[in-house]
Amino acid sequence: MISLHNLLKTFLLAVLFFQYSIAQNKPFTFAHITDTHIGSENAAEDLEMSVKDINNNSDIEFVIHTGDVTEFGSDEELYTAKKILDKLKKPYYIVPGNHDAKWSESGCNTFLKVFKSECFAVEKNGFLFIGLASGPNMRMSPGQIPREHLEFLQNELKKNQARKLPLISVNHYPLDSGLNNWYEVIDQLKKQNIQAHLMGHGHSNKVYNFEGIPAVMGRSNLRADKTKEPKDQIAAYNIVRVENNKMIYSERKAGKETSAPWATIELKDHSFSKDTAIYKRPDYSINLKYPNVQVVWTTQFSSDIGSGVVLSGSIAVTANTKGEITALKADTGKKLWTYKTKGKIFSTPAIENNIVIVGSSDNSIYGLKLATGKKIWKFTTKKSVLGSPAIENDNVFIGGSDGIFRALNYKTGKLIWQYNDVSNFVECRPLVFQENVYFGSWGNSFYALNKNTGTLVWKSKNSGSRMLSPAAVFPVGSFNKIFIVAPDRFMTAFDSKSGKEIYRSKEVSCRESIGISKDGAIIYIKSMTDGSLTAIDAQSETQKILWNVDTELSYEIAPSPITESGSLVFVPGQNGIICAVNKDSQKAEWRYKVSNTLINAVTPFGTDKILISTMDGKVICLKY
């Protein structure tokens, strides 16, 4: 017998479904803006133009912005974008893109502070629009939906199980391998009635299909859209009309005219539960070729990790984007303690005499007890601290986003000296070598400071875009030389004392991945073109290539440092593969895939193990 409660519940669900059906049949119009790149030439004026035009169109009910709001993710650019977008007289919903996240001086905190959220779920006229952030957060790699946002997606879909609203997903990236966890998003969306995907990133008006999900890429709002010839000198966006189960895209030149529709997407239930097609997924079969390489343990965090792992005795320490500093038992992966800061962490910790030092984007540098995680000291800065610390004797050296590079006493956190003239922010781990400390910044600059006084010894500045700065590389030094690689594809060797450029070579098309042998005789760099490992003679006054090994990593933009242990050189990749190269035989000894995301760093553990952290929140111990 059916209870009154169940009858009432069934009736209410029927009423809701009827209301949603009516709402879905009601035509509505919204604006799709993307890739505004505030900070680039004319970008602010272009966005002002589009905002004014949208306000003058009474048909437009709301606005979707699919990311790359700014050019460099700086605080100033984000506040400027917010000021302009707040002039809209209708609601707008926004997600960050790679430009907002990769070069963020705040460690991706200011976007959250300014726009209140990095993702959204909003019902509009019987549809549920779900927007997710996509990174890559601070580390150059393919895009990635943060683990926190995958959880957000799962929670919103759970809420929608009873409402059964059709879905329209929103993200900066296409739902393909340009997002290294694209399949996790698609698999979740396909559990419900996903009808379309909206995106930016490509700066062009295009229609796509991702495993049966129709998708639309909108053109950049910028007037000088380089993907078009002749150049369009008027800011433009897309007006989207939803009616008769169709989503109709028309390009609008701000203050001018609306072009004829260029895309029509049919909105319908694709019945993905009945889809029997097999789609591409990450392939881990490479691991079967190397049975002697095995995972000892894996610890999965509930957030991304943009930090390496540091080891002291039997304790390993890492940090994550929830602001947690965590100690693990190195032999089992068991969590020993966690200290929570108030900002995302991308700083790789350092340990000296049982004190853990790490920077946080909550504008602080911390000193914690290794055994318990108890705070010993905290040093407050003016902005985020994204740089990693380096320790020598009693001094910890670390750069921040406030234009200051500091030396602190590692026991007390007391300031010893500071250098106040850093251009833009510091992301790297500095190198302490001979009498100086060396580091780069996102202001096209590379610095040598006296390690005892903090006075500038020399400075090198490269030209061109600030995105080509030698900022993410961990410098190495040997034979009175400092070696760096940068996004401009050059390897540069400086005289350590004078800063004189000894050589600057593009023979190997590299990025920011570099390492050094234990004896300092070999500098290792990774090719961006094919991921191969090249050994460079550290003593030579020219870029003398000793040998080259194919790692089969393919195209590589990961800035992760290269590490040596015994006869093996570990080359980390952007898609979760690590290649171990034998420097004696000059051959790849084994390859192993631990994830489908960026490997941050590799830390040797004993004689036959390594600890690895990955951007999707894993710390892994491999035995080989």
Side-chain angles (χ1 to χ4, degrees):
M1 185 175 180
I2 301 175
S3 68
L4 180 62
H5 173 76
N6 286 337
L7 280 172
L8 182 60
K9 184 178 178 181
T10 302
F11 173 74
L12 289 174
L13 286 174
V15 170
L16 287 173
F17 181 77
F18 179 69
Q19 289 175 339
Y20 293 146
S21 297
I22 293 174
Q24 289 164 33
N25 289 325
K26 179 186 175 184
F28 64 97
T29 301
F30 67 93
H32 179 185
I33 291 181
T34 191
D35 295 271
T36 47
H37 290 277
I38 297 299
S40 61
E41 186 180 5
N42 299 319
E45 184 182 346
D46 290 348
L47 183 54
E48 292 267 14
M49 214 182 298
S50 292
V51 165
K52 182 179 178 181
D53 192 64
I54 290 169
N55 284 336
N56 289 334
N57 189 335
S58 60
D59 289 338
I60 295 175
E61 297 182 27
F62 61 94
V63 178
I64 297 285
H65 192 316
T66 53
D68 273 6
V69 183
T70 65
E71 178 69 2
F72 206 63
S74 72
D75 293 356
E76 181 183 1
E77 291 171 351
L78 285 164
Y79 281 111
T80 298
K82 179 69 160 56
K83 184 178 179 180
I84 297 170
L85 287 168
D86 278 354
K87 294 178 182 179
L88 284 165
K89 297 176 182 177
K90 37 205 96 187
Y92 68 89
Y93 307 96
I94 191 167
V95 293
N98 56 301
H99 275 256
D100 306 308
K102 168 61 194 89
W103 297 280
S104 169
E105 64 180 301
S106 70
C108 306
N109 284 295
T110 298
F111 189 99
L112 182 60
K113 178 181 177 181
V114 168
F115 293 106
K116 308 305 179 187
S117 180
E118 296 173 301
C119 48
F120 63 83
V122 60
E123 180 193 337
K124 290 291 181 181
N125 299 82
F127 290 87
L128 181 60
F129 288 78
I130 299 182
L132 304 174
S134 53
N137 289 340
M138 300 308 303
R139 299 286 181 253
M140 178 57 72
S141 72
Q144 179 176 317
I145 306 296
R147 288 201 65 79
E148 301 94 314
H149 293 180
L150 287 175
E151 291 183 3
F152 172 84
L153 174 62
Q154 290 166 5
N155 289 335
E156 292 302 322
L157 293 178
K158 186 176 180 180
K159 293 177 189 177
N160 193 49
Q161 284 177 350
R163 297 184 296 172
K164 299 187 184 301
L165 291 176
L167 307 176
I168 295 178
S169 66
V170 177
N171 183 252
H172 183 62
Y173 278 83
L175 292 178
D176 59 18
S177 57
L179 275 175
N180 54 32
N181 55 354
W182 85 95
Y183 56 97
E184 293 185 81
V185 180
I186 286 181
D187 289 348
Q188 287 294 323
L189 292 173
K190 281 188 169 183
K191 290 178 181 178
Q192 293 193 20
N193 182 10
I194 175 67
Q195 299 199 349
H197 177 70
L198 312 183
M199 60 195 175
H201 195 55
H203 287 219
S204 300
N205 288 329
K206 288 185 180 179
V207 174
Y208 290 80
N209 186 289
F210 301 121
E211 300 184 15
I213 302 173
V216 185
M217 175 185 287
R219 60 152 288 164
S220 166
N221 188 71
L222 299 174
R223 70 179 75 177
D225 191 338
K226 296 179 181 179
T227 64
K228 289 183 175 294
E229 289 295 342
K231 288 183 179 179
D232 202 343
Q233 292 304 307
I234 299 173
Y237 60 97
N238 278 286
I239 293 178
V240 188
R241 179 72 172 170
V242 179
E243 61 182 351
N244 299 324
N245 297 317
K246 290 181 172 59
M247 187 165 62
I248 304 163
Y249 263 73
S250 301
E251 183 176 308
R252 170 71 180 175
K253 292 182 179 178
K256 293 290 184 179
E257 71 276 347
T258 303
S259 302
W262 62 268
T264 298
I265 303 298
E266 186 178 0
L267 298 176
K268 65 178 184 179
D269 187 341
H270 295 275
S271 301
F272 286 120
S273 61
K274 301 175 183 177
D275 187 359
T276 58
I278 298 175
Y279 298 102
K280 180 183 177 182
R281 292 294 180 263
D283 182 5
Y284 288 79
S285 62
I286 186 176
N287 298 347
L288 301 176
K289 298 179 181 179
Y290 306 99
N292 292 332
V293 183
Q294 297 178 345
V295 174
V296 178
W297 55 259
T298 299
T299 297
Q300 175 70 68
F301 289 83
S302 60
S303 66
D304 285 1
I305 294 179
S307 165
V309 182
V310 62
L311 186 66
S312 179
S314 62
I315 300 177
V317 181
T318 190
N320 61 36
T321 57
K322 277 192 173 179
E324 298 169 337
I325 306 161
T326 300
L328 307 170
K329 287 193 68 174
D331 56 349
T332 66
K334 179 183 177 182
K335 291 183 181 180
L336 299 173
W337 55 257
T338 294
Y339 182 89
K340 183 80 165 63
T341 73
K342 294 180 180 180
K344 301 177 183 182
I345 298 179
F346 296 95
S347 172
T348 295
I351 301 174
E352 184 74 14
N353 287 339
N354 298 315
I355 299 178
V356 178
I357 314 293
V358 67
S360 172
S361 64
D362 68 358
N363 302 2
S364 302
I365 305 163
Y366 292 88
L368 310 176
K369 284 189 176 181
L370 175 62
T372 63
K374 183 179 179 181
K375 183 177 71 176
I376 301 171
W377 56 261
K378 174 183 174 182
F379 186 93
T380 302
T381 63
K382 296 178 182 178
K383 286 189 175 182
S384 294
V385 182
L386 308 175
S388 300
I391 302 175
E392 183 185 81
N393 299 326
D394 287 345
N395 295 351
V396 53
F397 302 95
I398 190 167
S401 295
D402 54 5
I404 299 175
F405 189 90
R406 297 174 172 87
L408 308 176
N409 181 284
Y410 84 90
K411 296 177 183 177
T412 65
K414 182 180 178 180
L415 180 69
I416 297 171
W417 55 255
Q418 66 181 41
Y419 174 75
N420 298 322
D421 199 24
V422 178
S423 177
N424 223 291
F425 72 96
V426 176
E427 178 186 342
C428 71
R429 181 179 65 205
L431 169 69
V432 186
F433 182 71
Q434 296 172 340
E435 296 304 311
N436 298 330
V437 56
Y438 303 88
F439 63 94
S441 78
W442 283 111
N444 297 91
S445 299
F446 189 79
Y447 301 84
L449 307 181
N450 182 283
K451 68 180 181 181
N452 298 313
T453 64
T455 54
L456 180 67
V457 179
W458 55 264
K459 173 182 174 182
S460 174
K461 191 171 177 67
N462 68 319
S463 59
S465 167
R466 57 188 170 178
M467 292 175 186
L468 302 181
S469 301
V473 59
F474 288 10
V476 296
S478 186
F479 293 105
N480 298 317
K481 301 184 192 72
I482 303 299
F483 302 90
I484 62 170
V485 286
D488 60 6
R489 317 290 196 264
F490 282 92
M491 176 183 182
T492 306
F494 299 103
D495 181 277
S496 60
K497 295 180 180 179
S498 68
K500 178 184 176 182
E501 192 175 282
I502 297 172
Y503 65 77
R504 178 172 163 80
S505 174
K506 208 173 185 179
E507 184 174 348
V508 178
S509 182
C510 48
R511 271 194 74 100
E512 297 115 313
S513 190
I514 195 170
I516 188 169
S517 61
K518 293 291 183 182
D519 60 8
I522 301 173
I523 308 300
Y524 302 112
I525 61 174
K526 179 175 62 176
S527 166
M528 187 191 79
T529 307
D530 59 10
S532 61
L533 177 69
T534 300
I536 309 292
D537 184 348
Q539 194 166 3
S540 175
E541 296 299 299
T542 60
Q543 191 192 51
K544 181 181 177 182
I545 296 176
L546 299 174
W547 45 264
N548 179 275
V549 173
D550 181 8
T551 62
E552 296 184 21
L553 290 177
S554 190
Y555 178 75
E556 268 293 324
I557 55 176
S560 312
I562 299 166
T563 309
E564 182 189 277
S565 181
S567 62
L568 294 185
V569 182
F570 300 107
V571 188
Q574 67 185 31
N575 296 122
I577 296 177
I578 182 168
C579 179
V581 173
N582 190 307
K583 68 175 184 179
D584 297 328
S585 66
Q586 297 163 24
K587 292 181 180 179
E589 196 156 294
W590 52 262
R591 300 173 184 84
Y592 203 87
K593 186 174 177 68
V594 295
S595 170
N596 201 55
T597 61
L598 170 75
I599 293 175
N600 294 298
V602 176
T603 303
F605 175 29
T607 58
D608 61 351
K609 297 185 185 74
I610 52 175
L611 301 177
I612 302 165
S613 72
T614 61
M615 275 295 288
D616 58 349
K618 294 175 186 172
V619 177
I620 301 145
C621 179
L622 272 191
K623 179 180 174 66
Y624 57 90

